[in-house]
Amino acid sequence: MTNTTPSGQQHADTLIHARWIIPVDGSRTILEDHSLAITDGKITALLPTADAKAHWSADIIQNLAEHTLIPGFINTHGHAAMSLFRGLSDDLPVIEWLNNHIWPAEGQFVNEDFVHDGTRLAMAEMIRGGTTTFSDNYFFPEAAGHAALEGGMRCQLVFPVLDFPTGWAKDAANYISKGLDTIDLFRNQDSILVGFGPHAPYSVSDAPLKEIITLSEQLDVNVQMHIHESAQEIKESIEKTGMRPLRRLAELGFLSPRLQCTHMTQLNEAEIQLIAQNGCSVIHCPESNLKLASGFSPVARLQQAGVNVAIGTDGCASNNDLDMLGETRTASLIAKAVGQDATALSAWGALEAATINGARAMGIDTQTGSLEIGKQADIAAIAMNELENLPVYNPVSQLIYTASRNQFTHVWVNGKALMEDRHLTTLDEAWLKQRANYWQKRISASRQG
Amino acid sequence: MTNTTPSGQQHADTLIHARWIIPVDGSRTILEDHSLAITDGKITALLPTADAKAHWSADIIQNLAEHTLIPGFINTHGHAAMSLFRGLSDDLPVIEWLNNHIWPAEGQFVNEDFVHDGTRLAMAEMIRGGTTTFSDNYFFPEAAGHAALEGGMRCQLVFPVLDFPTGWAKDAANYISKGLDTIDLFRNQDSILVGFGPHAPYSVSDAPLKEIITLSEQLDVNVQMHIHESAQEIKESIEKTGMRPLRRLAELGFLSPRLQCTHMTQLNEAEIQLIAQNGCSVIHCPESNLKLASGFSPVARLQQAGVNVAIGTDGCASNNDLDMLGETRTASLIAKAVGQDATALSAWGALEAATINGARAMGIDTQTGSLEIGKQADIAAIAMNELENLPVYNPVSQLIYTASRNQFTHVWVNGKALMEDRHLTTLDEAWLKQRANYWQKRISASRQG
C-alpha cells in the first residue's frame, strides 16, 4: 500500500534507485535511471528516479547507481542439502557415481542435522547468486522448510516418493504419509509451497503414482518428477513395460499443468506435443545434463511448441554449484548449438526462463517472477561496472553473457533484504563455513576408512 | 638461480606459501601446504611450507593460506581488441551478425587506437581471470604486441592473412609483408611469439597458403587458422573445390605440428586421424561454438586419437567474455554430453587443456604451462575459501566445477606480479573504464545514426 501525504509526497518502506531495471514483464523493456518502491513487502511503484527523488520519501533508500535490478532468480529444481556432497565424486560413469558414491553417502549421512546444515549452506549460495525462490526435492523436507523460513527465501518443497526405503521413509505409502504431514505443517506459510516429488518413472510404481494424481488434485498442489533424464531410463522402461516413460505416465493420467517435468533430455516430436497439449512445464537443468552425460534437452523445440521452460541447477553433487546466472548462460549457449540456431533462447528468453517461467511452473506467477506493481518484492541487484561487463551496449546481454554471480550485491524477498552489500542478513557465513568443514571431515574420514 | 648462504639458508626473490599447489606436471599430484620459490623470473623450488619457513628467506613473501596456485591459464585463441565489441550484437543468425554488425563495425572503427585500447581492456580481464599467456589474432598486431609488453603478459600474435582488403592491409601479399615486419619487430622479445594467422580455408586462396607453408618453415614460426568452424564452411568448400577444407589443406601440405587448428566442430573419423598423424593441435573454443550455433567439437575422440587439445575463449564479440576458468568448465561439461561419457575431459584433463596443452600448441611448453623447477614463473593464485567452494573434498574438482574467476587474487608472469590482491600492477583500471565508455558512446552513436 502506498501512502500519499497531504502535501502530495508519497512514502514507501524501501525505495531503490537503480541505473537499470529489467522488469521481465513480457514487454522486453529496460527502464534506465528508474526507481522501485516497496511497501508491506509488495512492489508499489516503478518510476523515473528523477520523479522518485522529487516526490517520494522512504524509511530505507538504496542508491544503486551502477546496478541492474532484476526479479530474483527462481531455481526450479534442486536438492539443496546435497551442497554438503559438492565435489565428493566427479568424472565417474553415472552408475558408479550413484551406486558407489552418492547413494552410500546419503545412506550413511543424510538425517535432519545434515538437511538443516546443507539447506542453509545452499541458501547462502543461492542468495549470494541472486536467487529468491528455490524448489527443493530432498529427504526430511520439514527441516528444509524450517531452513527456508529462517533464511527468508520463497520455497517449493517437493517431498520424495520412492518404492524403496531410505533414511526418511520405508515405502511409498510412508513417503506419502510423511509428505502429507509436511503439507499440513506449512499450510499457513505463504512463502512455502509443498507438493509431491515422486522421484522418477523407474523408481515409483503405478499404484503410488495414481494416488499422487488423486491427492495432488484434491489438495491442489504441484508435482515435480525427474523424467526422461537419460537414454538408459528410456531403454529400461521399454524393456520392462513396453513403453517409453512418458507414454506410461500419460496412460496413468499423470500429465497435467501441475506437473513439472525435470530434465527431459530424451524427447521425440510426439512427446513434445504431448507435453504441450497437457500444459506441463519442463524444468531444464543443462549443467547437470552435461556433467552426467545425460544428453541435451531440445529447449528451442519445446518453446516453439508452446511449452513453459524454466531453469534449475539440480543439486551440488551433479553440477557442482547453485549458480543460476551461470546455469542460465549455459542454457542459452547450449540451446543455440542444439537447435542449430544462433537466435535460440536469447539473453531475454534465458532471463525469462530463469525468472517468470519458474514462477509459472510453480503456479505463483501472480506473486513473483517479475517486477510489477502489486507483486511481492522478490528482487536481485547486480553491479554492472566491472571491467568484464564493459562496454555496455545492451544491459540484458551483458547480464546474461558477461556478468558473474559474485556481482550481485543486494537481494530482497517479500521486501525484506536477505543480502545487503554482499552481507547476508538471515544466515551466518562463519557458522556455515564451520559446518561445511565439520561435514567434510566426517564424510572424508568415513571414505578413507 | 637459487642463492645458498653460508649458513645453509636459501634465498629467493619471491616465496609463495600456499594451501595447495597444483603443478600440472603430468603426475596429477596436488601439493598441500607447499611453497614455491621464484628467482630471476624462474621457479627455483617447490617444497613443503614447513621446510620453506625453516630454511628460506625472500625479498617478497606471500602468505596465501586459503589459496591454490596453478600455472596461469593459456588462452590459445582470441581476438583481444574485440573486447570493445562485447555484446554489440547477440542472438542473431551468424550471417546477419557478421555482415550487418561485426564487419561494418570493424570497417568503421578498427585502427591502431582501437587495438591499443581494446587489447589493454582484454588483458586486464584476462589477468583478473588468472590468464598469463594469450594468443591474439587481429589487425594491427604490432599495437597488440606493444600492449602485451606493457601489460607484461606472454603472447602469441598470429597476424591475419586474407584475400580481401581490411583497414590493416589490402591483399594477401600485403598482409604477409606487414606480418613479416611484425615478426622482425618482436624478434628479440622472449615473451612474444609472432606467427601466421591465415583467417580460414574459405577466405585465403591456395597461393598465399603455399607461401605461408614455406615462410613458416623457414622462419620456424607457428600458424593458427579457423578450420571446420561450421557446417556451412564444409558445404561451401565442397561446392567450390569438391573437397572438404581439411582435405584441401592436407593436399597443399598445410598440416604440421606448427599448425593450431581452431574450432574444428565438424570432423569425421578420418579427419581426426589425419590431424593426429600430422601432429596438429586443436584449439577448442566451446562457448563461441555454442553461441554461434557452430556445433560441438569431438574433444574426447580427438584426445583418444592422441591430438593435443588446448582451450581458447575466442573474441568477446562471440563469447562474450575472456573467462578461461568458465571456458574450461564449459569444455569439461560439454565434452561429457557430446562424448556420451561422464568421464570425458575430467577436471584434471580440463585443467591440463587450459594450461600445459596451450603451451604445447605454441611450442613453449619447456618455458611455461606448468609449475616445475626451471620454468618461467607464470602463476595464478585463487582463493578457495568462499562458501561456494565448500566443502573441499578435491581441490582440482572445486577449482574447475565451483570456483569463479573473480576469486583469482594474484597473477605472476616471468615472476613479476601483474595482479596483487586483485589490484592490477601494469594496467590502469580507471583509465580502461574511461576508454571502454568512450568507445561505447562512439560506436553506439554511429549505429543509431
Side-chain angles (χ1 to χ4, degrees):
Chain A
M1 179 172 32
T2 303
N3 301 315
T4 307
T5 64
S7 65
Q9 285 290 108
Q10 298 201 69
H11 189 80
D13 293 344
T14 300
L15 194 57
I16 311 168
H17 305 309
R19 174 71 186 276
W20 293 287
I21 298 177
I22 307 177
V24 195
D25 59 2
S27 69
R28 297 198 171 179
T29 310
I30 299 170
L31 307 173
E32 190 162 2
D33 294 323
H34 267 61
S35 300
L36 183 151
I38 304 170
T39 292
D40 294 340
K42 288 185 158 57
I43 299 169
T44 53
L46 283 162
L47 72 172
T49 295
D51 293 348
K53 288 191 171 171
H55 302 297
W56 284 70
S57 61
D59 298 342
I60 300 170
I61 294 180
Q62 281 289 354
N63 283 297
L64 301 177
E66 302 284 359
H67 298 62
T68 300
L69 297 190
I70 62 168
F73 289 128
I74 297 184
N75 187 350
T76 317
H77 177 71
H79 313 280
M82 294 184 88
S83 60
L84 292 171
F85 293 141
R86 186 201 310 277
L88 180 67
S89 56
D90 290 305
D91 302 321
L92 295 172
V94 174
I95 301 297
E96 184 185 340
W97 174 74
L98 275 175
N99 287 343
N100 301 348
H101 297 267
I102 297 303
W103 286 342
E106 285 190 326
Q108 191 170 358
F109 293 105
V110 174
N111 57 26
E112 276 201 67
D113 267 2
F114 180 96
V115 173
H116 177 280
D117 294 353
T119 307
R120 281 166 178 75
L121 179 64
M123 284 198 300
E125 179 179 355
M126 287 192 275
I127 294 168
R128 281 162 55 95
T131 297
T132 51
T133 298
F134 70 108
S135 180
D136 193 44
N137 178 346
Y138 213 55
F139 310 107
F140 304 96
E142 68 287 5
H146 289 304
L149 288 174
E150 182 187 314
M153 293 184 76
R154 200 177 299 285
C155 175
Q156 171 186 265
L157 302 170
V158 283
F159 57 83
V161 179
L162 290 156
D163 285 342
F164 52 82
T166 63
W168 186 53
K170 66 180 199 296
D171 57 25
N174 192 218
Y175 285 98
I176 291 174
S177 155
K178 289 194 165 195
L180 293 174
D181 291 346
T182 311
I183 292 176
D184 270 348
L185 185 63
F186 296 108
R187 187 173 292 283
N188 297 318
Q189 299 292 347
D190 288 343
S191 64
I192 308 229
L193 294 174
V194 186
F196 290 82
H199 175 257
Y202 58 84
S203 52
V204 191
S205 45
D206 289 357
L209 290 180
K210 285 182 190 163
E211 196 178 348
I212 289 169
I213 296 169
T214 306
L215 287 167
S216 64
E217 285 171 4
Q218 283 174 353
L219 298 166
D220 190 22
V221 298
N222 295 329
V223 181
Q224 187 178 86
M225 191 184 214
H226 305 88
I227 304 176
H228 286 214
E229 180 171 1
S230 70
Q232 179 77 3
E233 172 187 339
I234 312 288
K235 185 166 161 280
E236 288 178 2
S237 174
I238 291 171
E239 284 168 8
K240 201 170 145 189
T241 69
M243 289 182 277
R244 287 165 67 93
L246 259 181
R247 171 84 187 285
R248 172 173 154 240
L249 294 177
E251 294 198 357
L252 286 167
F254 204 74
L255 307 186
S256 82
R258 68 178 78 254
L259 180 61
Q260 303 162 14
C261 309
T262 306
H263 298 307
M264 302 289 264
T265 70
Q266 316 289 320
L267 290 174
N268 59 36
E269 205 53 48
E271 287 166 338
I272 291 172
Q273 295 306 324
L274 185 67
I275 290 296
Q277 283 153 11
N278 283 279
C280 310
S281 286
V282 166
I283 315 304
H284 179 40
C285 304
E287 294 188 5
S288 169
N289 297 158
L290 294 173
K291 188 155 184 287
L292 300 178
S294 306
F296 303 99
S297 187
V299 168
R301 281 163 61 213
L302 284 162
Q303 290 194 318
Q304 282 155 12
V307 175
N308 179 52
V309 178
I311 309 272
T313 58
D314 207 346
C316 269
S318 64
N319 184 314
N320 300 350
D321 62 38
L322 306 175
D323 175 4
M324 275 293 289
L325 181 56
E327 196 79 28
T328 301
R329 178 179 307 144
T330 299
S332 171
L333 294 178
I334 205 157
K336 301 174 199 308
V338 169
Q340 297 181 35
D341 174 4
T343 72
L345 204 62
S346 66
W348 270 113
L351 179 58
E352 289 163 351
T355 55
I356 188 68
N357 294 6
R360 257 182 221 129
M362 296 186 194
I364 53 174
D365 50 312
T366 57
Q367 295 168 55
T368 191
S370 62
L371 303 182
E372 295 181 85
I373 293 170
K375 282 200 176 182
Q376 297 304 122
D378 294 355
I379 308 168
I382 183 163
M384 290 297 289
N385 58 343
E386 298 281 355
L387 278 176
E388 288 75 4
N389 311 125
L390 301 180
V392 180
Y393 296 104
N394 176 338
V396 175
S397 171
Q398 298 312 73
L399 171 72
I400 297 297
Y401 296 129
T402 80
S404 299
R405 61 169 162 173
N406 62 292
Q407 296 177 235
F408 282 100
T409 58
H410 297 68
V411 167
W412 294 264
V413 172
N414 286 325
K416 177 180 162 62
L418 306 187
M419 180 167 73
E420 296 179 315
D421 285 322
R422 297 291 292 161
H423 173 75
L424 298 178
T425 64
T426 55
L427 296 163
D428 180 337
E429 286 189 44
W431 179 86
L432 287 169
K433 288 185 176 184
Q434 278 174 21
R435 296 306 292 172
N437 288 328
Y438 162 81
W439 286 103
Q440 186 252 308
K441 287 201 178 81
R442 267 192 67 186
I443 295 169
S444 295
S446 110
R447 287 159 61 87
Q448 284 154 7
Chain B
M1 177 175 34
T2 304
N3 301 314
T4 306
T5 64
S7 66
Q9 286 290 108
Q10 299 201 70
H11 189 79
D13 293 344
T14 301
L15 193 58
I16 310 167
H17 304 310
R19 173 71 188 275
W20 293 288
I21 298 177
I22 307 178
V24 194
D25 60 2
S27 71
R28 298 199 171 178
T29 308
I30 299 171
L31 307 173
E32 190 162 2
D33 294 322
H34 266 61
S35 300
L36 182 151
I38 304 170
T39 292
D40 294 341
K42 287 186 157 60
I43 298 167
T44 53
L46 282 162
L47 72 171
T49 295
D51 293 349
K53 289 192 170 171
H55 303 296
W56 284 70
S57 60
D59 298 343
I60 299 169
I61 294 180
Q62 283 288 356
N63 283 297
L64 302 177
E66 301 285 357
H67 298 60
T68 300
L69 297 189
I70 61 168
F73 289 127
I74 297 184
N75 186 351
T76 316
H77 177 71
H79 313 280
M82 294 185 88
S83 60
L84 292 171
F85 293 142
R86 186 201 311 277
L88 181 67
S89 56
D90 289 306
D91 302 320
L92 295 172
V94 174
I95 301 297
E96 183 187 341
W97 173 74
L98 275 175
N99 288 342
N100 302 348
H101 297 267
I102 297 304
W103 286 341
E106 285 190 326
Q108 190 170 357
F109 294 105
V110 174
N111 57 25
E112 276 200 67
D113 266 2
F114 180 97
V115 174
H116 177 280
D117 294 352
T119 307
R120 280 167 179 75
L121 179 64
M123 283 198 301
E125 179 179 355
M126 287 192 276
I127 294 167
R128 282 162 55 95
T131 296
T132 51
T133 299
F134 70 107
S135 180
D136 193 44
N137 179 346
Y138 213 56
F139 310 108
F140 304 96
E142 67 286 5
H146 289 304
L149 288 175
E150 183 187 314
M153 292 183 76
R154 199 176 300 284
C155 176
Q156 172 186 265
L157 302 170
V158 284
F159 57 83
V161 179
L162 290 156
D163 285 341
F164 52 83
T166 62
W168 186 53
K170 66 180 198 296
D171 57 24
N174 191 219
Y175 285 98
I176 290 174
S177 156
K178 289 195 165 192
L180 294 174
D181 291 347
T182 311
I183 292 177
D184 270 349
L185 184 63
F186 297 108
R187 187 172 294 284
N188 297 319
Q189 299 292 348
D190 288 344
S191 64
I192 308 230
L193 293 175
V194 186
F196 291 82
H199 174 257
Y202 56 86
S203 53
V204 191
S205 45
D206 288 359
L209 289 180
K210 284 182 190 161
E211 196 179 349
I212 290 169
I213 295 168
T214 307
L215 288 167
S216 64
E217 284 173 2
Q218 284 174 354
L219 298 167
D220 190 22
V221 297
N222 295 330
V223 181
Q224 186 179 86
M225 191 183 213
H226 304 89
I227 305 176
H228 286 213
E229 181 171 1
S230 69
Q232 180 76 3
E233 172 187 339
I234 311 289
K235 187 168 161 276
E236 288 177 2
S237 174
I238 291 172
E239 284 166 11
K240 200 169 145 191
T241 69
M243 288 182 279
R244 287 165 67 93
L246 259 182
R247 172 84 186 285
R248 172 175 155 240
L249 294 176
E251 294 196 357
L252 287 168
F254 204 75
L255 307 186
S256 82
R258 69 179 77 253
L259 179 62
Q260 303 161 14
C261 309
T262 306
H263 297 307
M264 302 290 263
T265 70
Q266 316 289 321
L267 290 173
N268 59 36
E269 204 54 45
E271 287 167 338
I272 291 171
Q273 294 306 323
L274 186 67
I275 291 295
Q277 284 153 13
N278 283 279
C280 311
S281 285
V282 166
I283 314 304
H284 179 39
C285 303
E287 294 187 5
S288 169
N289 297 158
L290 295 173
K291 188 155 182 290
L292 300 178
S294 307
F296 304 98
S297 187
V299 168
R301 282 162 60 211
L302 284 163
Q303 290 194 320
Q304 282 155 12
V307 175
N308 179 52
V309 177
I311 309 271
T313 58
D314 208 346
C316 269
S318 64
N319 185 313
N320 299 347
D321 62 38
L322 306 175
D323 175 4
M324 276 292 289
L325 182 56
E327 197 79 27
T328 301
R329 178 178 308 144
T330 299
S332 171
L333 293 179
I334 206 156
K336 301 175 199 306
V338 169
Q340 296 180 35
D341 174 5
T343 72
L345 204 61
S346 66
W348 270 112
L351 179 59
E352 289 163 351
T355 56
I356 188 68
N357 293 7
R360 259 183 218 128
M362 297 187 193
I364 54 173
D365 50 309
T366 58
Q367 295 167 57
T368 190
S370 63
L371 304 182
E372 294 181 85
I373 292 169
K375 282 201 176 181
Q376 297 304 122
D378 295 355
I379 308 168
I382 184 163
M384 291 297 289
N385 58 342
E386 297 282 355
L387 277 177
E388 287 76 5
N389 312 124
L390 302 180
V392 181
Y393 295 104
N394 176 337
V396 175
S397 171
Q398 297 313 73
L399 171 72
I400 298 298
Y401 296 129
T402 80
S404 300
R405 60 170 163 173
N406 63 290
Q407 296 176 234
F408 282 101
T409 58
H410 297 70
V411 166
W412 295 263
V413 172
N414 286 325
K416 176 180 162 64
L418 306 187
M419 181 167 73
E420 295 179 317
D421 284 323
R422 296 292 292 162
H423 173 75
L424 298 178
T425 64
T426 55
L427 296 163
D428 180 337
E429 286 189 46
W431 179 86
L432 287 169
K433 287 185 176 183
Q434 278 174 22
R435 295 307 290 172
N437 287 329
Y438 162 82
W439 286 102
Q440 186 252 306
K441 287 201 178 79
R442 269 192 67 184
I443 295 169
S444 294
S446 110
R447 287 160 61 87
Q448 284 154 6

